[in-house]
Amino acid sequence: MASPSTSTDARRVLLVRGGALTPYSGLGGAHSALVEHHRAGRFPGLTVLSTLEYPEQSSAFARLRHRWSKHPRTVRRFCRRHMGPEDVIHITDQEQAHLVPARSPGRPKVVVTVHDVFHLYPREVNVPILKGGVHVRDDAVQVGDASPGLARRVDLSKLRSGLRRADLLVCDSEHTRRMCVEAFPGVKAITVPLGLETQRYAPTEGRPKNTKFNLLYVGSHDPRKRLRFLVELLRSASDDLKGSSVLHVAGDQSKETQALLGGLDMEVVVHPRLDDEAMMKLRHTADALLFPSAAEGFGYPPVESMASGCPVLCSDLPAHNELMPEGTCLQAGDLDAWSIALAEHHTAWTLSQHHVADERLMEHAKRFSSEAFVENMAAAYRSL
């Protein structure tokens, strides 16, 4: 059995999450990347002691049993047996914050990565809709579940309590950090944007021009993604644009999405399940990513598209507006601004002779590279 470390030992890290998630999901991917960085030795002075998670459970009762009882007990037992006060427990997303052990003199330092606080503190985002510079209505967009069931309400209470017990909250956007400072004033919070292997996204040269203007939407029918606004935008587009375009929808095949897309007078292709290679091909062949979201914790799709050299039409709302080059975001509800931007990209496609990756966007995306993430995360660990 390993013994708890002393102050003269290398600081050891226990990486913790709840149920195992696929690395192709947002939270699962962030966890997998962090584990890989640790195992590759990219954080000097830190050694991974172990990772703790549990396999997917077949029933709701089993999931709750593991989540509320069995897994927290496993984490507490492991810490008592193997860790000392100079070691670090890193819980890799806020949905597992209930795993933060109670404060005690011998407890390891506890870091929780906070990707968003949508469900902890649900809210309504008001988006004014403008046409021709005239305010025509307000869209009230629900962010987070405002009416969770009893079990989920208990769960959320446990998560909030766990976050209050942490030593450090690592937030992947400045917007989330500000919200954490307000909600948990007794806990230190810092901003560490997520990173990706930007060089993997660089497209190959010399690709032919698309036979149609390829638009890409990545997301679900969740109200905060604002697919309804996107459909309204495309319905109002010129017949020439609609007739020469194809909209690719990645990640959702729900009845709600199909119903929304059914009224579009243009070609639509839905990709419910894509492996990494297929998704990369979709990014490389897209002429523009449409990202009208009302709220994101970080927002991988804009960074991934920019790293692929693909232009992004992005709403000026947090926290994805932190990712974009200055002055490039669009007022979230200004239909004319979105229409003009879309038409400009369509005209550029029409006049082009071949598909051209935007090197300025690729360079900008390097701000969110894995190297930048490791540097910032290492500083976060040192701050303990």
Side-chain angles (χ1 to χ4, degrees), residues 75-244:
V75 173
R76 291 194 300 269
R77 185 185 301 120
F78 188 97
C79 292
R80 286 196 305 269
R81 293 180 176 178
H82 303 291
M83 304 185 76
E86 297 303 315
D87 293 324
V88 179
I89 305 170
H90 191 158
I91 297 168
T92 61
D93 76 81
Q94 74 285 343
E95 281 291 319
Q96 313 304 326
H98 62 293
L99 297 171
V100 178
R103 291 183 180 274
S104 66
R107 189 191 79 169
K109 301 293 188 295
V110 181
V111 178
V112 181
T113 295
V114 183
H115 299 280
D116 62 69
V117 292
F118 299 156
H119 302 297
L120 295 169
Y121 299 101
R123 67 191 190 278
E124 199 171 73
V125 175
N126 184 66
V127 181
I129 304 300
L130 308 175
K131 288 183 180 180
V134 177
H135 177 245
V136 294
R137 70 175 190 275
D138 290 316
D139 281 353
V141 181
Q142 182 62 42
V143 177
D145 187 356
S147 302
L150 176 60
R152 180 56 170 163
R153 291 200 299 273
V154 173
D155 194 48
L156 291 169
S157 178
K158 290 176 179 288
L159 298 182
R160 287 189 285 264
S161 296
L163 288 166
R164 294 187 186 98
R165 297 193 299 269
D167 296 293
L168 176 65
L169 304 180
V170 173
C171 307
D172 59 20
S173 72
E174 179 61 19
H175 174 74
T176 298
R177 188 197 68 82
R178 290 194 297 267
M179 296 190 72
C180 284
V181 167
E182 181 179 347
F184 311 107
V187 184
K188 181 179 179 180
I190 62 175
T191 303
V192 177
L194 297 175
L196 52 88
E197 301 285 348
T198 52
Q199 64 274 15
R200 286 186 55 241
Y201 292 78
T204 56
E205 297 181 358
R207 291 188 298 109
K209 171 183 174 179
N210 295 320
T211 57
K212 280 200 167 187
F213 182 53
N214 280 21
L215 298 171
L216 176 61
Y217 169 82
V218 181
S220 67
H221 69 280
D222 186 313
R224 69 181 174 87
K225 297 294 187 178
R226 298 184 67 226
L227 179 59
R228 192 176 299 275
F229 173 83
L230 179 58
V231 169
E232 182 177 1
L233 169 70
L234 294 175
R235 280 177 178 164
S236 65
S238 69
D239 290 339
D240 176 54
L241 188 150
K242 288 187 288 188
S244 58

Side-chain angles (χ1 to χ4, degrees), residues 2-19:
S3 60
S5 68
T6 67
S7 60
T8 58
D9 294 330
R11 176 173 270 181
R12 300 181 298 179
V13 180
L14 172 66
L15 300 173
V16 182
R17 64 174 170 183

Side-chain angles (χ1 to χ4, degrees), residues 4 8 50 53 66 71 82 119 123 138 148 152 163 179 200 264-265 279 299 320 326 375:
T8 58
S50 186
E53 61 182 25
H66 273 77
H71 198 48
H82 303 291
H119 302 297
R123 67 191 190 278
D138 290 316
R152 180 56 170 163
L163 288 166
M179 296 190 72
R200 286 186 55 241
L264 278 178
D265 186 22
M279 188 66 222
H320 44 293
E326 186 175 356
E375 181 179 346

